[in-house]
Amino acid sequence: MSSRFDIGSVDIQPAQTRIIYQWLRVEQLDQWWHWGLLAVVCVAVLTYVVFWYRRDSVEHPRAVGWALMLLRVAALSGLLLYFFQLDKRTEQRVVRDSRVAVLVDTSLSMSLPGTPSEVGIANSLSRSEEAARLIGESAFLDQLSERHQVSVYRFDQTSKPTVLAAISKSEGQAGGSPADASQAEQAALERARQWMIPVGIVGGVALLCLSISLGAQVVGMRNWSGGAWLLLGGSSLALVALASSCFPILSTTRYPLAS
């Protein structure tokens, strides 16, 4: 009897998924002058923004000027983030179980007496009986099935071995099931929903502040100082809500936004 690994036939376990976020542009900026040029451009644009802030804030309350500068800096930051190209990659690790083929010789030579004892006493069992005892009564196949898919073949004068038995890999060594992966995805979706609750509240407060501030402008209360501060507060809260919503959305991109 002999044994060998058969890599021609494999069983695939459920894939393990890993999500990776990376900035693609960072890999392209591999020279020092790239970063220097980017810094010069950012400083120039920021200086231009501050210049327009000072120019626009002459005839407006200070809070309105701050709100305008905040929105312009946010727009610049959004363009900078877009430039760096945040990329989401999904990697799957697929585990392929090895398969062990146990070959049992059933030719006429197996009818000869088995292995003699250490002192030279002849064995009363034949070779085929020894092989049957090894396979049927020992834990040999059970030990193999703990780590591999096991198939038992017999071979003799025929050109192709014949399958006698197939033993699946023990369940305790198997990878995670599709049900476990589905539960993990549902848990991630539920965490995203819980995160969106405070984000929605902050966004609602921001919308209310902006509505009151703009409403005061419509009805003629242009000099109301509270409206300027509401504009600044509403703009700040809106940007916070927008930035905070990115975290649950990025982690659940396979689901529609309505989910």
Side-chain angles (χ1 to χ4, degrees):
M1 182 182 65
S2 61
S3 64
R4 66 180 178 86
F5 286 99
D6 182 7
I7 60 175
S9 177
V10 294
D11 292 334
I12 301 178
Q13 297 181 3
Q16 301 177 1
T17 303
R18 184 179 65 168
I19 298 177
I20 300 176
Y21 298 93
Q22 62 178 158
W23 301 98
L24 297 180
R25 190 70 67 179
V26 173
E27 299 179 357
Q28 299 177 1
L29 301 178
D30 54 355
Q31 301 294 331
W32 66 267
W33 62 269
H34 292 163
W35 293 98
L37 179 61
L38 179 63
V40 170
V41 172
C42 291
V43 170
V45 175
L46 186 60
T47 303
Y48 181 75
V49 169
V50 173
F51 167 77
W52 278 103
Y53 154 69
R54 294 178 61 87
R55 181 174 178 178
D56 291 346
S57 62
V58 175
E59 300 178 356
H60 296 283
R62 180 176 299 178
V64 175
W66 289 349
L68 294 176
M69 185 181 67
L70 177 64
L71 293 175
R72 287 168 177 160
V73 171
L76 174 62
S77 302
L79 292 175
L80 193 60
L81 289 176
Y82 181 78
F83 171 78
F84 278 109
Q85 295 183 355
L86 177 63
D87 180 66
K88 176 182 178 181
R89 293 191 306 167
T90 302
E91 294 183 352
Q92 288 188 340
R93 179 186 178 187
V94 180
V95 180
R96 301 174 182 268
D97 289 338
S98 58
R99 183 180 295 275
V100 174
V102 179
L103 305 182
V104 182
D105 187 1
T106 58
S107 61
L108 292 178
S109 62
M110 295 297 289
S111 61
L112 297 176
T115 305
S117 64
E118 296 180 356
V119 296
I121 301 177
N123 196 340
S124 60
L125 300 177
S126 63
R127 295 178 180 178
S128 60
E129 290 173 341
E130 281 187 333
R133 176 175 294 184
L134 175 63
I135 294 177
E137 298 180 5
S138 69
F140 173 69
L141 294 182
D142 293 336
Q143 293 174 356
L144 287 179
S145 64
E146 291 179 357
R147 301 183 60 183
H148 313 283
Q149 302 284 345
V150 181
S151 297
V152 181
Y153 298 84
R154 69 176 179 88
F155 68 97
D156 41 33
Q157 68 275 8
T158 60
S159 60
K160 183 178 180 180
T162 304
V163 179
L164 296 179
I167 305 175
S168 301
K169 183 178 178 181
S170 302
E171 295 182 358
Q173 300 292 332
S177 63
D180 296 336
S182 178
Q183 292 178 0
E185 292 178 358
Q186 291 297 325
L189 181 60
E190 186 61 29
R191 288 193 299 268
R193 289 171 176 169
Q194 296 297 327
W195 181 272
M196 287 300 292
I197 293 177
V199 171
I201 294 175
V202 173
V205 174
L207 182 61
L208 179 62
C209 294
L210 293 175
S211 300
I212 295 175
S213 176
L214 296 178
Q217 297 291 323
V218 172
V219 299
M221 300 174 59
R222 298 179 180 272
N223 297 326
W224 182 39
S225 60
W229 289 105
L230 286 175
L231 178 63
L232 176 60
S235 301
S236 303
L237 292 177
L239 293 175
V240 170
L242 180 61
S244 301
S245 64
C246 295
F247 295 99
I249 292 176
L250 284 176
S251 61
T252 55
T253 50
R254 61 176 299 174
Y255 297 98
L257 188 59
S259 299

